[in-house]
Amino acid sequence: MNSNNPYYRRIDLPAGDLHVFAHDDLYHAMGAKVLEMANNNLQIPNIRYMSYTPDAHVGVGTCIGTTAVWGAEDGFVSPSIVGSDIGCGMRLHLTNLHVDELQEVKLRRKLVKAIEKRIPVENHARGYFSDIRLEDVLRKGLHGLPGKYVPDSYTPRKATSLTHVECSRFRYDESVLDRIPMPVWHRAHRQLGTLGNGNHFIEIQAISVNEDNRHIAERWGLQDGQVAVMVHSGSRSWGGAVNQHCGSEVAKTMSKLGLGTSDPKLVYAPLDSEAGQTYSNLMYSALNFAVANRHLMAFAVRDAFKETFGSQAETRTLYDLMHNYACEENHGEESFLVHRKGTTRALPAGHAGNPQPYAETGHPALIPGSMGTSSYLMVGSSEGARNYHSICHGAGRIRSRNATKQLVTVDEFASSLRIGQEDEIVVNHRGLESLIDESPQAYKDVDQIIESVVEARLATVVAKCRPLAAVKGV
DNA sequence: ATGTCC
């Protein structure tokens, strides 16, 4: 049944097979609840494949770390699998600065202040991009932004494939947008350019290249000691509103068709049903919002760099990709509907789904660590095809926010960020209490997660990104 | 993750 590889197992659940790509120890730490959830998901008709990455943990209805696949012809789409933070994902920008130029704590503080000035992180804050039409963003993503926000040095207008949303699809039946109530429109409009809270962040990092993949790093333009900007955010309240509206529509379709699983909260509809199409289209509007929002925040960070280090400071887009969505993809000769909930696509060199600039190397897969720990730039391997080229999306939570607050003291958290030392990771909040639930102890060890992904032969490491400063919402 | 309501 199971192979001898300690990094992979197939689990024979009552409703079907679950594939787990994780070291035995990580698998055993996941607990029984994740198997129950997998079994519920596997009860959805026509499902072809389901797997967990090593960072899998319990979510609402579906585990974070799930890849669930249907055939495109007889597929079911599930708002419960995608979740409410539709389009949540990562963006990485490369700067022309070296880490030595940020050596002084004072300078990192100045940079963080300059970022804070441009990107509100408070709960009900208004973003600074009110001159942008929300409808244009929802319909066209980056193409809906005024030209001044898309300078060629930053993301060439023609290289929209640097965001994998637009690489797949961004035009759809626009009449569905009218289904979302006006108050939600207004809220989403004022949220353009805001970070959100929870695990979302903007981080300044220093790159170190993995020797084994130096040839790929060079093709991507990465250098040792290079300063990078990583943005982790989603579709703010727009995605939640889409999830809520479609959730009830999809549930109605289910009762009409007499469908259901052991979990009444797990909703899904045939992709070609009206409810399925409405969801699919509105989901794309949320993907467009999310990618444009990350772009705008990275644009604001670019401005903050110029203010802090002079006008010659520049940042350019390496890549933007999501880990919460459902999308039609070609694998081999066939077309599939792939759901990724807290998993990252990592295509290998030569795969036709790669955006043009990365056709020969595979595209960068951006994997964040927890606060204070390194993030990774990965590239997919051809063996990753067995998992539809899905890898982990981060460290993965091991304890709840409340449990973390009980366990970790402010002092312990501060020392994990080396606060007060020369190499302190500068955080925008002076009081760290409100961020304790994001401390490294709330998460698995990202190095172990990456080891599992590498040993399961799904992807390899191209570079590691060490945090220098972080901006978080509360 | 989010906004809202007690």
Side-chain angles (χ1 to χ4, degrees):
Chain A
M1 289 279 278
N2 292 323
S3 72
N4 292 322
N5 185 341
Y7 293 89
Y8 167 78
R9 65 175 60 214
R10 196 189 79 195
I11 299 163
D12 192 5
L13 294 171
D17 285 345
L18 172 71
H19 304 263
V20 182
F21 294 89
H23 188 272
D24 281 342
D25 297 343
L26 286 170
Y27 165 71
H28 290 299
M30 285 179 195
K33 182 86 180 153
V34 300
L35 297 182
E36 195 189 306
M37 286 196 149
N39 195 56
N40 295 339
N41 280 268
L42 283 161
Q43 289 169 5
I44 304 176
N46 300 346
I47 188 166
R48 297 266 196 102
Y49 179 82
M50 178 159 173
S51 74
Y52 284 156
T53 44
D55 51 335
H57 59 102
V58 169
V60 183
T62 299
C63 286
I64 293 129
T66 295
T67 302
V69 181
W70 281 261
E73 296 301 315
D74 60 354
F76 282 73
V77 68
S78 172
S80 306
I81 297 180
V82 175
S84 59
D85 196 5
I86 303 167
C88 183
M90 311 301 303
R91 167 173 279 257
L92 194 91
H93 282 248
L94 301 173
T95 74
N96 55 357
L97 281 91
H98 189 272
V99 59
D100 291 350
E101 295 171 79
L102 277 76
Q103 205 173 11
E104 279 185 59
V105 180
K106 258 192 206 163
L107 263 180
R108 296 201 295 283
R109 290 218 178 97
K110 198 176 161 197
L111 175 63
V112 164
K113 279 217 168 100
I115 294 172
E116 246 192 325
K117 203 163 82 187
R118 292 164 173 82
I119 301 173
V121 294
E122 312 80 50
N123 206 342
H124 293 289
R126 179 178 289 272
Y128 297 123
F129 297 97
S130 52
D131 57 335
I132 295 169
R133 292 192 59 204
L134 177 62
E135 188 183 351
D136 290 343
V137 167
L138 296 172
R139 284 169 52 203
K140 298 188 257 182
L142 292 189
H143 296 266
L145 297 177
K148 65 173 172 175
Y149 296 122
V150 197
D152 260 18
S153 56
Y154 168 88
T155 293
R157 211 151 233 276
K158 284 173 192 154
T160 53
S161 61
L162 292 178
T163 70
H164 95 271
V165 185
E166 301 190 65
C167 195
S168 53
R169 174 177 159 186
F170 69 96
R171 293 186 188 282
Y172 51 86
D173 174 10
E174 292 147 14
S175 67
V176 294
L177 292 174
D178 301 337
R179 311 270 185 102
I180 303 297
M182 279 319 280
V184 177
W185 277 77
H186 293 310
R187 195 167 57 222
H189 190 224
R190 65 166 193 267
Q191 284 181 335
L192 266 177
T194 64
L195 179 61
N197 52 35
N199 60 3
H200 291 168
F201 65 75
I202 293 165
E203 216 170 72
I204 312 304
Q205 306 171 336
I207 288 175
S208 61
V209 170
N210 174 16
E211 285 309 321
D212 297 343
N213 273 329
R214 185 166 284 280
H215 57 293
I216 294 178
E218 279 172 5
R219 295 283 293 274
W220 291 356
L222 309 179
Q223 283 162 18
D224 284 309
Q226 187 171 22
V227 173
V229 180
M230 187 174 266
V231 180
H232 180 188
S233 187
S235 51
R236 306 293 278 109
S237 64
W238 183 264
V242 167
N243 186 267
Q244 202 186 2
H245 170 79
C246 295
S248 50
E249 290 296 305
V250 162
K252 278 181 211 159
T253 300
M254 285 174 75
S255 57
K256 233 182 271 171
L257 297 174
L259 296 168
T261 69
S262 309
D263 179 358
K265 285 189 190 140
L266 187 54
V267 297
Y268 54 91
L271 181 60
D272 61 9
S273 66
E274 202 190 322
Q277 279 302 296
T278 301
Y279 174 68
S280 177
N281 288 329
L282 279 172
M283 185 189 61
Y284 278 106
S285 75
L287 302 185
N288 283 341
F289 184 102
V291 75
N293 200 37
R294 284 190 293 272
H295 175 103
L296 288 169
M297 283 189 279
F299 184 80
V301 173
R302 169 183 182 263
D303 214 37
F305 265 93
K306 287 180 184 294
E307 184 182 276
T308 313
F309 298 99
S311 59
Q312 75 288 352
E314 193 49 89
T315 73
R316 71 170 181 87
T317 313
L318 181 78
Y319 202 42
D320 183 300
L321 86 171
M322 309 163 297
H323 44 238
N324 292 344
Y325 62 104
C327 201
E328 282 177 51
E329 289 181 3
N330 294 320
H331 292 276
E333 300 291 293
E334 241 184 304
S335 186
F336 297 93
L337 177 64
V338 179
H339 291 66
R340 294 200 176 88
K341 169 62 177 175
T343 54
T344 306
R345 190 191 69 173
L347 298 178
H351 192 289
N354 277 305
Q356 198 280 326
Y358 301 121
E360 290 171 20
T361 56
H363 67 81
L366 318 176
I367 311 300
S370 56
M371 246 187 122
T373 67
S374 289
S375 297
Y376 286 84
L377 308 185
M378 313 281 290
V379 69
S381 64
S382 54
E383 293 105 309
R386 64 200 282 233
N387 194 35
Y388 293 81
H389 297 295
S390 276
I391 67 169
C392 62
H393 89 306
R397 211 161 245 291
I398 28 167
R399 38 182 77 77
S400 70
R401 295 191 179 275
N402 279 334
T404 311
K405 282 176 189 159
Q406 305 280 319
L407 181 79
V408 183
T409 67
V410 179
D411 285 350
E412 284 167 340
F413 185 31
S415 81
S416 70
L417 299 169
R418 296 188 296 282
I419 302 291
Q421 297 182 49
E422 212 173 291
D423 61 347
E424 152 177 350
I425 299 166
V426 173
V427 179
N428 58 323
H429 299 282
R430 304 192 75 208
L432 291 172
E433 299 86 10
S434 59
L435 291 176
I436 284 184
D437 52 353
E438 281 294 309
S439 83
Q441 280 125 305
Y443 289 90
K444 297 177 187 171
D445 178 354
V446 69
D447 295 340
Q448 278 181 36
I449 302 296
I450 297 294
E451 178 203 285
S452 272
V453 168
V454 170
E455 293 301 326
R457 299 183 178 281
L458 300 178
T460 57
V461 176
V462 177
K464 213 170 160 170
C465 307
R466 174 171 64 87
L468 305 170
V471 173
K472 296 280 291 182
V474 183

